[in-house]
Amino acid sequence: MRSTDLIRFARDAATGNPLRASLLVLAMAIGVAAVVVLTALGDGARRYVMSEFAALGSNLVIVLPGRSQTGGFNPGAAITNTPRDLTIDDALALQRASAVVRVAPLVVGTSEISVGGKLREVLVAGTTAQYVELRSLGLAQGRFLARGDWRRGAPEAVIGAKVRDELFGSAPSLGQLVRIGDRRFRIVGVLAASGQGLGMNTDELVFVPVSLAQAMFNSNTLFRILIEAHGRDAIEAAKQQVTNIIKLRHEGEEDVTVITQDAVLATFDRLLGALTLGVAGIAAISLAVAGILVMNVMLVSVTQRTAEIGLLKALGATGGTIRQVFLTEAAMLSLTGALVGFLLGHLGAAVIRYLYPVFPAFPPDWAVLAGLTTALVTGILFGVLPARRAARLDPVQALSKH
């Protein structure tokens, strides 16, 4: 039997029973769609976290007060116990490190901001002029905090876009006096809208000089110190220099945790990469179930088409030809199901991206290829047993059952 005749015969056999064919196609489609959607979610989570950390700035080294006993980093830990405060003087000393470009101390707390009878709670970040360059933040109006002595700050503030809209509406905000906590500040700048990032919405932030923030919150300890290294190759050198400087200043005690952006990114990349593989494996189970369904339905098909098989053999078809007919039919149905599942999976990923625009739910190419290949291979493998049974039928007995 020629290849074209074989394909045409298998197609007619598959479409001869629409319900059976539809069930096989649906089973395969669900399996492939599950692989595509779940890997899109897993890989999307990895890309989202990577982009969020990249938005923090480049070549970052972060110093946190308190020594992590395990050497790890808990992103949810905002405050740690430490035998010695991490101070502004410590941050100033870090500027001496040769591998360091910029240093920005950071104090964080909540307070109330009020103007013209309007009042709302905000997250107040005390920092210095270098913070905006280190974090690559954009300004919509005005300027950032002025350069000067970190221990003495002018009473000026930079507000987020949402804070500006809620407090001033269409009225000008630059130069206006606002009350933050028990102090008065003059607004010198408005940040460009940027939205949520790693749990901190810069649109709702208010920046003030670090020394004034410490006075407002009655604390001498910095929340953390952000450091920018000269380049990616200098990150490890910057980390070592920072550790040594802090250790010297703290009487030989290594009572801070120094982490690098690359280390955090690598950790999340490994974790979320493993998660993606895990959910892909779980989704692939549905392909195995679909393969079993292919085998069961094809076995029933052999029983129903006994007379047809007998007639083919009586006309001279060999056992090999009969096997090829059934395997081609199984492959055709599996491939159709895989393609339908591919389209459904991409449609599902598109819906996720539409509902959550910031979440890059794109299925990785390897997952799509693996899903399509597995579906096709599974369908053929589970079609072998029915094909062999059909090929072994005796033509006389098969025709006698007609």
Side-chain angles (χ1 to χ4, degrees):
M1 186 180 290
R2 294 179 302 176
S3 298
T4 53
D5 295 333
L6 185 67
I7 293 172
R8 188 181 300 111
F9 188 87
R11 181 199 64 195
D12 294 340
T15 56
N17 192 326
L19 179 61
R20 184 190 72 195
S22 299
L23 287 175
L24 287 177
V25 169
L26 180 62
M28 279 297 174
I30 291 174
V32 174
V35 171
V36 172
V37 171
L38 289 179
T39 53
L41 285 172
D43 201 59
R46 184 186 65 82
R47 294 184 192 186
Y48 177 74
V49 171
M50 297 299 105
S51 65
E52 288 296 302
F53 269 99
L56 285 175
S58 57
N59 308 322
L60 278 185
V61 177
I62 306 171
V63 183
L64 297 92
R67 179 65 182 164
S68 174
Q69 298 299 319
T70 61
F73 170 60
N74 179 6
I79 300 175
T80 55
N81 295 322
T82 174
R84 190 185 298 269
D85 291 340
L86 191 60
T87 65
I88 291 177
D89 289 337
D90 291 331
L92 285 167
L94 297 180
Q95 294 185 111
R96 301 197 310 260
S98 60
V100 170
V101 179
R102 297 182 181 90
V103 176
L106 190 63
V107 175
V108 176
T110 57
S111 186
E112 290 182 339
I113 181 171
S114 61
V115 61
K118 295 180 179 179
L119 176 73
R120 65 158 290 172
E121 190 172 86
V122 292
L123 190 65
V124 178
T127 188
T128 62
Q130 296 189 47
Y131 184 85
V132 69
E133 298 170 352
L134 192 147
R135 283 287 317 277
S136 301
L137 296 176
L139 286 166
Q141 294 177 314
R143 61 172 176 82
F144 200 66
L145 303 174
R147 297 181 182 275
D149 188 350
W150 291 4
R151 302 180 191 85
R152 293 193 187 93
E156 56 188 28
V158 178
I159 60 176
K162 187 174 181 180
V163 176
R164 198 215 81 84
D165 292 342
E166 291 186 4
L167 293 182
F168 297 97
S170 59
S173 58
L174 291 183
Q176 299 296 318
L177 289 173
V178 296
R179 180 172 292 277
I180 304 175
D182 58 352
R183 295 171 179 265
R184 290 169 68 84
F185 293 84
R186 187 175 300 278
I187 296 175
V188 297
V190 179
L191 289 174
S194 59
Q196 188 81 14
L198 289 176
M200 184 179 289
N201 191 340
T202 55
D203 295 346
E204 299 185 10
L205 272 176
V206 174
F207 288 97
V208 300
V210 62
S211 57
L212 297 184
Q214 285 186 322
M216 285 174 58
F217 302 129
N218 193 28
S219 171
N220 292 323
T221 301
L222 297 176
F223 173 58
R224 63 189 59 182
I225 301 174
L226 302 181
I227 297 158
E228 182 182 349
H230 270 291
R232 186 168 295 275
D233 295 338
I235 289 178
E236 282 303 317
K239 177 181 177 181
Q240 190 60 51
Q241 291 174 10
V242 165
T243 303
N244 292 338
I245 290 172
I246 295 293
K247 191 173 180 179
L248 285 173
R249 289 186 52 80
H250 290 194
E251 300 177 355
E253 291 291 331
E254 195 173 330
D255 53 5
V256 295
T257 300
V258 182
I259 60 173
T260 64
Q261 187 180 25
D262 282 356
V264 177
L265 283 172
T267 299
F268 275 106
D269 194 34
R270 287 195 300 270
L271 288 174
L272 295 171
L275 173 65
T276 302
L277 288 174
V279 295
I282 293 171
I285 294 174
S286 60
L287 288 175
V289 174
I292 294 173
L293 179 61
V294 169
M295 180 177 67
N296 290 336
V297 173
M298 294 297 288
L299 284 172
V300 172
S301 176
V302 170
T303 303
Q304 292 175 339
R305 295 160 61 188
T306 300
E308 179 185 333
I309 296 168
L311 181 59
L312 285 172
K313 284 199 166 188
L315 293 173
T318 63
T321 301
I322 301 298
R323 278 195 298 271
Q324 288 179 357
V325 167
F326 277 85
L327 286 176
T328 302
E329 182 181 347
M332 192 176 295
L333 291 170
S334 298
L335 181 60
T336 302
L339 293 176
V340 172
F342 170 80
L343 296 175
L344 289 176
H346 275 275
L347 178 62
V351 170
I352 295 171
R353 294 195 301 273
Y354 175 77
L355 295 176
Y356 305 98
V358 298
F359 192 80
F362 293 96
D365 293 338
W366 65 263
V368 173
L369 183 61
L372 293 173
T373 304
T374 304
L376 184 59
V377 171
T378 301
I380 293 174
L381 286 178
F382 281 95
V384 168
L385 180 60
R388 292 179 63 184
R389 174 172 293 186
R392 286 200 300 264
L393 286 177
D394 181 83
V396 175
Q397 291 182 354
L399 287 171
S400 66
K401 293 181 180 179
H402 181 55

